């Protein structure tokens, strides 16, 4: 038996990952060794340095195309583009996490998660100003996992990344300070269903390995070309897709989404909705385009059907929601369908606009969703956030600015021109049309119209209804949330009016290596 | 042109500010914007009449090929002039329509200006996407205008109805436009019309585009939104619902007719719906008592007329249609504005309550009469010219099919009769003195209309009057557009007031006389209408559809999104069954031969496992269910034995036992029974899904095994284990040597898990001190006489007497040390025989379990008076240290060496360095079990004993 060679690591190409994981590890140490009083500012700083550092690193690395870490990691255009997106979304989410001006109890996270909800101790803690700072290392680990997910050139690494990003998310969902049982239920549901999804992914991985003899995506592609798709490989691919689509909350694997989005602390929901989707689609794109791009007959019908199911389910079920968070959850399901429409837009030999369009859509969707959820944290009543639709009636009279911003974000989600949502939708639809997926685009248009109806309903409610007498108040956000809202709103506008630069970046980045 | 659009946008943004500064006078300033656009459009008249056109292309998003292509040709110019001209006048009118201090005027001004801009953009757009964008913008702005401040329910309903219908139509149109442009290979309307594609996609696309036009222009069966939208303020009705927005559909049809009129299906749809709409609108209009509703249905009727003409696809009808469009816009806006003046002055719009208004507002009466005359088609108004041209064209056979020309002509004449009748009724209702009412009703006028208020309707009415005699001039413009269409009749007539005596003149006379007759017999006619009234209306159908959609959505949500985890999981599993499962069934290469068993014993064990599995899900009590579950695990261990893998079997047995203990410790705190709230049907479905998924997974596993082509790694391992690890127990060598890195990682996970469990239970102190039995606790409380006399264990006296068991205490006393020694034997012998650090640790842990069960929490403290953290940490140090030492000695990390010596007494002994690694494993496993026992066992007991208030609801806890 020969000695095992240490894998070659290109540290420069790994810089974004090193930044984030470094920050996460330092965060753990800080949690152990610094006094409670200074932990919060220190943790926020570390998390921000990690994520923003990672973003800058992706910018500096732009144009890199290499495979490193013994072929397990691909640092290429899509990976860097999506890593940068995740880093920015992550940094903004960290800012949302750190908001302390809205809740009288200072933080949206429970001070001690292990205390049974409703117990005496819990009631004591609920009003204390003690804050939970473990969320920052957790979130940073999740961000790191997501960034790794988009760059994984190897099914095993992809699975590891999947777990690294999922486990902190399960925990984070259960950490709400208010309505704790709902939050814990969300965490348990997410965890149990997520565990099943992971198991399917692993099973699929094993079958694909069995069928092709490798877990490396490039080798899988070679095996697919030389040996053709065997039944085992197709089954394996199906199971892999199930696992990934669960993370991307694509119908019919979406069922956890509304419950978890509703139960989790809103800042975490924002993070999940925005960043997880980017990561999951990054992995979907890499898996389908790199490993199975030459055998697209194996996945195209499946993705086609899933896209339609997701759009229809998201749009139709969204109609009946009375909770704004749940409504946005269904919107996220519908958007997953629109994103799959872009995934379909893969031309022969890797041409076509599908990749660039989907990546651009991810940027626009992530930023807008983050902003929308960020706004939800502002509207509160005595019981925490007021998310019931009826409580939003007449909000324009209480706070014209919040209502205007929310309307803007909702219009962007609906895909109204001059917002980023329109540009993104247009890009993916065009990609699908180029690939000849007419019926899909028609379905997507109809679904957009239905979805637009429930977005507009909120707008109408805010502007055209009388405010309830004991309705919620609109909190004055602190600096972190203000920054998040300003950045997301500006991005939504700029990407709607002058998206040229980012679109071109996405197009130039849309080449996979490996 | 882009500049004009930008100007509108800026004005809209600045409008609220202007209104705040100048009050309602700000409308006069805002009116300058469309007026400027009107002026610019007129300056291009020369170019366009000369056959030229103005084009402008602004690149928007080059990466997506999105560009704003604008084009001003004869058709666009006609509509642009209408939109801007009427827009400017309506804004002037607004300056007096609103009260000086009315609320929400700023918003209204902004939206109105923005609407004017988007309408202009719509008629100028050449790119289909730009057209769509402006189309939807007009929809959204009209929604805001109809909804107004949102104070009235009817307004909101009307607004959302209009929005829903026109957006749906708009979307259909977008799909259609994309299909057409795909087939025609261009996104520019000018190029599509010049060279349209063909084929079924083209037909489908055309129909979808028509759906957009039909909804926007309120054709039957979508006509009902327009009357409902009359909730909007009058300037909105005058502009959107007479001159601008509803004309967008007419514009689209007119724009596409030159290219698409010959697409199969175009003419039947356009002509059929047009004529039907004209008749239904006219008929319904005659039933209205509200002046505004009367006008709304009249608009519906006229839109039908217009679409019939511009959509016919012949040169002569198109020219007539364009002229009629102008005439209708001018006169209908005037009429709406007049109603606004009446409403403003009297506060009443119901013609049954108005009387003698003409005498009191003579100027208004004259203006309205002029406008009505043009609508009816009296000479010398423009309406007369247009109608005359239309009748002539049809009389001469302006359609490819002679019969349809006749049918359409009859329909249009009948519709025009209605037109004449309701116009007369409008004038009579608004201004005449009526029998049965006082001479002037209402008594007092709230406001007298000032000159500026009347300016807009006056200008519009006079324009309609002036355009009639000037129609030959208008003809120059209209012909430029009309000539893009084929001539079907023998010759094209030019627009003119007088063509001499000809059939059309007679038809006009017929319509006028018919209208007069209908008006004269209005009471009889009303009775006839009542008798013919149909129960169902399109409006009701719309609301019913919406309601059933809502109900369906609620139903679907209720069944699929109940928050029930089993349902969610079931959905996912069904998909797994459907997709990979089907592939498995359909295409899997199954192994060539199947072997049921090696020995019948295996079958027996298999049967037991199956029965236990079934029992697990059937049993209602948690504890029993867990025991049944345990049997499946023991069965598996038996299978290992039968396969000749005693080491695996040993580990499996131990793990299974320990899990049972942990289960029991946790289950103490849970309700005894598993809640059974599911219906049998539900359970059956779930069972079916579960069994199927199990079969699919097992099938996939079998297929995977059958598909093996490479040599299994297990072939080489035993030899490798002996060579590299100097051990015969393959499992142990894999753990501590071949894959020692993995084990190290797993050990760390184990440590983290143990710490995690402990810190979840020990809430306040992170780990908790070791409970040692002290004197005062030794009494145990309760009735001391019933306690066993002899002291077999050191701390069992702390237990309450009723919880003590002599048999267990004695057995523990005898067994504990033996078990610990056995565990050490397993640890040291594990390299070559069954055993190893993991198994040894588990055995030692079970010994501790025994002590705890027999003697309670203090007994546990006596048995293992060390903090579990110490064991865990020490174990990690041992395991990691092995690697470090190997490194220091010059080997690779975790590389094992082998020492051999002949010792006295023990004889030949061998010592692999991997043993130290195994000791680490042993310590960590013991530490883990201790941690579990202390947290889930002892700490729970303590909380119960001391009635720690951490439990939220103590009632839920069942006492053992």
């Amino acid at each position: 038996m020969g000695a095992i060679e240490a894998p070659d690591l290109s540290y420069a190409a790994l810089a974004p990952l090193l930044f984030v994981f470094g920050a996460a590890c330092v965060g753990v140490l800080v949690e152990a060794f610094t006094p409670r009083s200074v932990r919060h500012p220190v943790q926020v700083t570390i998390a921000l340095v990690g994520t923003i550092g990672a973003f800058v690193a992706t910018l500096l690395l732009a144009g890199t195309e290499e495979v490193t870490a013994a072929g397990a990691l691909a640092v290429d255009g899509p990976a860097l583009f999506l890593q940068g997106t995740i880093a920015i979304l992550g940094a903004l989410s960290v800012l949302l996490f750190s908001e302390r001006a809205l809740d009288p109890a200072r933080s949206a996270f429970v001070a001690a998660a292990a205390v049974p909800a409703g117990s005496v101790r819990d009631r004591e803690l609920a009003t204390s100003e003690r804050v939970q700072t473990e969320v920052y290392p957790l979130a940073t680990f999740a961000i790191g996992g997501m960034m790794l997910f988009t760059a994984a050139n190897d099914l095993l690494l992809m699975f590891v990344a999947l777990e690294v990003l999922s486990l902190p998310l399960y925990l984070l969902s259960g950490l709400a300070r208010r309505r704790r049982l709902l939050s814990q239920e969300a965490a348990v549901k997410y965890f149990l269903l997520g565990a099943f999804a992971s198991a399917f992914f692993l099973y699929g991985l094993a079958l694909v390995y069995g069928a092709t003899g490798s877990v490396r995506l490039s080798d899988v592609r070679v095996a697919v070309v030389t040996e053709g798709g065997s039944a085992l490989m197709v089954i394996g691919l199906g199971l892999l897709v199930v696992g990934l689509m669960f993370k991307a909350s694509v119908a019919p694997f979406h069922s956890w989404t509304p419950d978890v989005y509703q139960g989790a602390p809103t800042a975490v929901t924002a993070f999940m909705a925005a960043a997880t989707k980017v990561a999951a689609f990054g992995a979907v794109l890499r898996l389908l385009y790199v490993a199975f791009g030459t055998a697209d007959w194996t996945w195209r019908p499946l993705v086609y059907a899933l896209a339609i199911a997701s759009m229809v389910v998201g749009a139709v079920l969204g109609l009946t929601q009375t909770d704004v968070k749940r409504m946005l959850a269904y919107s996220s399901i519908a958007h997953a369908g629109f994103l799959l429409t872009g995934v379909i837009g893969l031309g022969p030999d890797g041409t076509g606009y599908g990749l660039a369009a989907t990546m651009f859509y991810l940027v626009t969707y992530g930023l807008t969703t983050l902003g929308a959820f960020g706004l939800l944290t502002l509207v509160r009543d005595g019981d925490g956030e007021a998310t019931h639709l009826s409580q939003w009636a007449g909000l324009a009279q209480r706070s014209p600015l919040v209502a205007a911003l929310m309307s803007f974000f909702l219009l962007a989600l609906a895909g109204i021109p001059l917002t980023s949502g329109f540009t993104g939708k247009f890009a993916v639809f065009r990609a699908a049309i180029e690939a000849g997926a007419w019926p899909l685009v028609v379905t997507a248009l109809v679904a957009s119209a239905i979805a637009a109806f429930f977005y507009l309903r909120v707008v109408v409610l805010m502007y055209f209804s009388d405010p309830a007498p004991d309705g919620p108040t609109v909190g004055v956000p602190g600096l972190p949330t203000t920054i998040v809202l300003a950045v997301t709103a500006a991005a939504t506008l700029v990407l709607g009016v002058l998206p040229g630069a980012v679109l071109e970046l996405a197009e130039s980045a849309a080449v996979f290596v490996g | 042109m882009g500049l004009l659009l930008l100007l509108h946008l800026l004005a809209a943004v600045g409008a609220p500010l202007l209104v705040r500064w100048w009050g309602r006078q700000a409308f006069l300033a805002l009116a300058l914007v469309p007026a400027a656009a009107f002026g610019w459009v007129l300056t291009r008249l020369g170019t366009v009449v000369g056959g030229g056109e103005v084009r402008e292309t602004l690149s928007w998003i080059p990466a997506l090929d999105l560009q704003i292509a604008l084009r001003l040709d004869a058709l666009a110019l006609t509509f642009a002039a209408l939109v801007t001209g009427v827009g400017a006048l309506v804004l002037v009118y607004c300056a007096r329509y609103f009260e000086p201090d009315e609320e929400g005027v700023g918003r209204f001004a902004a939206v109105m200006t923005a609407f004017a801009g988007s309408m202009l953009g719509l008629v100028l757009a050449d790119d289909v996407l730009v057209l769509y964008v402006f189309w939807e913008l007009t929809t959204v702005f009209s929604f805001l205008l109809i909804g107004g401040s949102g104070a009235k329910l009817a307004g909101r309903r009307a607004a959302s109805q209009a929005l829903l219908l026109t957006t749906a139509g708009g979307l259909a149109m977008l799909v259609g436009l994309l299909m057409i442009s795909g087939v025609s290979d261009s996104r520019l309307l000018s190029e599509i019309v010049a060279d349209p594609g063909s084929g079924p996609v083209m037909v489908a696309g055309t129909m979808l585009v028509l759906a957009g036009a039909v909804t926007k222009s309120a054709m039957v069966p979508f006509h009902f939104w327009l009357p409902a939208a009359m909730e909007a303020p009058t300037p909105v009705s005058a502009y959107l619902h007479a001159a601008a927005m509803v004309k967008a559909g007419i514009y689209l049809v007119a724009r596409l007719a030159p290219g698409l009129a010959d697409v199969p299906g175009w003419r039947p749809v356009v002509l059929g719906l047009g004529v039907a709409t004209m008749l239904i609108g006219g008929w319904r209009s005659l039933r209205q008592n509200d002046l505004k509703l009367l006008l709304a249905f009249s608009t519906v009727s006229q839109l039908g007329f217009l679409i019939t003409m511009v959509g016919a696809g012949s040169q002569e009808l198109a020219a007539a249609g364009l002229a009629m469009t102008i005439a209708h816009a001018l006169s209908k806006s005037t009429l709406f504005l007049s109603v606004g003046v009446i409403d403003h002055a009297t506060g009443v719009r119901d013609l049954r309550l108005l009387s003698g208004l003409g005498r009191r507002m003579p100027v208004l009466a004259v203006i309205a009469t002029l406008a009505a005359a043009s609508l009816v088609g009296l000479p010398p108004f423009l309406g007369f010219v247009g109608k005359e041209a239309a009748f002539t064209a049809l009389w001469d056979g302006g359609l490819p099919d002679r019969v349809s020309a006749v049918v359409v002509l009859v329909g249009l004449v009948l519709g025009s009769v209605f037109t004449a009748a309701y116009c007369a009724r409008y004038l009579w209702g608004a201004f005449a003195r009526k029998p049965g009412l006082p001479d002037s009703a209402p008594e007092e006028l709230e406001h007298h209309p000032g000159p500026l208020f009347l300016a807009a309707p006056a200008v519009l009415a006079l324009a309609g009057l002036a355009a009639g005699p000037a129609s030959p001039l208008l003809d120059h413009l209209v012909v430029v557009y009309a000539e893009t269409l084929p001539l079907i009749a023998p010759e094209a007539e030019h627009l003119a007031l007088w063509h001499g005596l000809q059939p059309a003149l007679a038809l006009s006379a017929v319509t006028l006389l018919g209208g007069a007759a209908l008006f004269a017999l209005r009471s009889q006619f009303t009775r006839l209408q009542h008798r013919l009234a149909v129960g169902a209306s399109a409006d009701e159908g719309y609301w019913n559809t919406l309601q059933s959609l809502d109900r369906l959505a609620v139903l679907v949500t209720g069944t699929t999104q109940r928050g029930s985890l089993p349902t969610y999981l079931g959905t996912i599993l069904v998909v797994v069954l459907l997709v990979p499962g089907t592939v498995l069934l359909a295409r899997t290469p199954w192994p060539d031969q199947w072997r049921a068993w090696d020995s019948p014993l295996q079958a027996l064990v298999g049967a037991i496992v199956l029965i236990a599995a079934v029992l697990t899900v059937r049993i209602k009590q948690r504890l029993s269910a867990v025991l049944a579950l345990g049997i499946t695990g023991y069965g598996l261990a038996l299978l290992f034995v039968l396969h000749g893998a005693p080491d695996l079997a040993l580990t499996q047995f131990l793990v299974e036992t320990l899990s049972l203990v942990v289960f029991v410790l946790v289950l103490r705190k849970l309700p005894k029974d598993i809640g059974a709230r599911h219906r049998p049907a539900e359970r059956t479905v779930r069972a079916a899904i579960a069994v199927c998924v199990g079969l699919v997974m097992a099938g996939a596993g079998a297929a995977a095994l059958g598909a093996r082509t490479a040599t299994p790694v297990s072939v080489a391992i035993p030899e490798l284990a002996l060579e590299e690890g100097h051990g015969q127990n393959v499992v142990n060598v894999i753990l501590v040597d071949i894959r020692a890195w993995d084990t190290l990682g797993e050990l760390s996970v184990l440590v983290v898990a143990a710490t995690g469990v402990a810190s979840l239970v020990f809430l306040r102190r992170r780990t908790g001190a070791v409970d040692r039995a002290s004197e005062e606790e030794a009494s145990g409380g309760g009735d001391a006489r019933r306690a066993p006399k002899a002291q077999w264990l050191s701390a069992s006296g702390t237990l309450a007497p009723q919880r003590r068991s002599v048999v267990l205490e004695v057995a523990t006393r005898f067994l504990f040390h033996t078990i610990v020694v056995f565990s050490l034997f397993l640890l040291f012998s594990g390299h070559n025989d069954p055993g190893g650090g993991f198994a040894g640790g588990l055995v030692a842990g079970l010994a501790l379990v025994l002590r705890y069960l027999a003697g309670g929490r203090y007994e546990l403290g006596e048995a293992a008076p060390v903090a579990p953290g110490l064991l865990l940490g020490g174990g990690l140090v041992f395991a990691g240290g092995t690697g470090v030492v190997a490194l220091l000695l010059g080997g690779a990390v975790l590389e094992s060496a082998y020492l051999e010596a002949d010792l006295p007494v023990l004889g030949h002994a061998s010592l692999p360095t991997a043993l130290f690694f195994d000791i680490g494993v042993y310590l960590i496993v013991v530490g883990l079990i201790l941690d579990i026992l202390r947290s889930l066992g002892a700490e729970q007991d303590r909380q119960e004993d001391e009635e720690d208030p951490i439990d939220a609801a103590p009632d839920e806890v069942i006492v053992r």
Side-chain angles (χ1 to χ4, degrees), chain B residues 628-873:
Chain B
L629 185 65
I631 294 177
T632 62
Y634 288 123
L636 193 62
L638 268 181
L639 284 181
F640 288 151
V641 173
L642 292 174
H643 263 293
D647 36 8
L648 271 186
L650 177 68
T651 315
Q652 175 74 28
F653 266 117
L654 293 170
V655 167
E656 204 57 53
T657 313
L658 190 72
S659 338
L660 268 184
V661 172
V662 176
F663 257 127
V664 171
L665 288 178
V666 174
L667 288 185
R668 294 189 300 173
K669 304 286 275 182
L670 290 179
K672 204 169 70 183
D673 288 340
I674 300 169
R677 284 160 298 157
H678 312 298
R679 290 188 307 258
E682 253 173 338
R683 291 174 66 94
T684 319
V685 171
R686 285 180 194 173
I689 293 177
V691 170
C692 292
V693 171
L695 288 177
V696 164
M697 283 308 177
L705 285 178
R708 177 187 284 283
T709 51
T711 321
V713 70
S714 56
V715 172
I717 282 266
E719 197 184 337
L720 194 68
L722 203 57
E723 233 169 68
E724 300 272 326
H726 306 282
Q728 282 161 355
N729 181 345
V730 175
V731 176
N732 185 261
V733 173
I734 289 177
L735 282 179
V736 300
D737 194 326
I738 297 179
R739 306 216 58 115
W741 265 115
D742 290 2
T743 314
L744 195 64
E746 279 155 26
L747 287 181
S748 322
V749 173
L750 213 56
V751 170
V752 172
T755 315
V757 172
S759 54
L760 273 178
V761 178
F762 293 102
L763 282 179
R764 303 198 179 165
R765 296 152 297 159
R766 200 156 171 110
T767 49
V770 178
D771 279 328
R772 300 293 296 266
S774 58
E775 282 306 314
E776 64 265 34
E777 278 145 352
S779 67
D783 190 354
R785 279 170 303 166
R786 292 177 54 196
K789 293 283 183 295
Q791 188 75 312
W792 290 95
L793 293 174
S794 52
S796 58
T798 56
L799 280 183
Q802 65 272 24
R803 283 178 52 192
R804 292 177 60 180
S805 149
V806 180
V807 178
L808 193 55
E809 282 178 25
V810 174
T812 307
R813 177 73 192 241
F814 283 123
L815 283 178
F816 179 72
H817 299 96
T818 323
I819 300 180
V820 172
V821 171
F822 177 60
S823 80
L824 289 175
F825 167 76
L826 285 179
L827 167 64
F828 287 105
S829 72
H831 212 56
N832 288 312
D833 297 312
F838 188 68
L842 285 173
V843 170
L846 286 174
L848 291 175
V849 171
L850 203 57
R851 282 289 283 274
Y852 167 70
L853 290 181
R857 62 190 168 106
Y858 291 106
E859 184 64 36
L860 184 65
E862 292 298 320
V866 283
L870 215 57
L871 290 176
L872 292 170

Side-chain angles (χ1 to χ4, degrees), chain A residues 294-382:
Chain A
T294 48
D296 57 352
W297 57 269
T298 50
W299 53 266
R300 218 177 261 277
L302 180 64
V303 171
Y304 212 101
L306 290 178
I308 290 181
S310 204
M311 290 186 290
V312 171
V313 164
V316 172
L317 293 194
L319 283 178
T320 55
Q321 303 307 316
T322 52
D323 185 287
V324 186
K325 270 169 105 177
R326 282 186 87 86
M327 191 200 85
L328 286 179
Y330 281 102
S331 128
S332 138
I333 296 165
H335 279 281
F338 297 138
L339 280 161
L340 285 182
T341 309
V343 174
I344 286 288
L346 169 71
D349 304 326
T351 56
Y353 300 108
L355 181 56
T358 314
M359 291 200 301
F360 180 77
Y361 196 106
L362 284 168
V363 176
T364 61
Y365 168 77
L367 286 167
T368 309
T369 308
L370 201 67
F373 276 113
L375 269 179
L376 284 189
T377 60
L378 301 187
V379 184
R380 317 180 69 91
D381 60 9

Side-chain angles (χ1 to χ4, degrees), chain B residues 4-29:
Chain B
L4 290 175
L5 297 177
L6 196 66
L7 200 62
H8 277 89
L9 178 69
L10 291 179
V13 172
L17 205 63
L18 293 181
V19 170
R20 196 175 299 164
W21 287 342
W22 302 329
R24 60 180 188 173
Q25 310 298 356
F27 281 107
L28 297 177

Side-chain angles (χ1 to χ4, degrees), chain B residues 158-190:
Chain B
S160 65
Q161 190 182 47
L163 178 73
L164 207 59
L165 279 175
T166 49
T167 333
L171 216 65
M173 180 190 87
L174 173 63
V175 175
L177 283 176
L178 287 177
M179 291 166 96
I180 290 177
S181 59
V183 177
S184 311
D185 221 17
S186 169
R187 280 226 305 271
L188 294 186
L189 284 169
S190 46

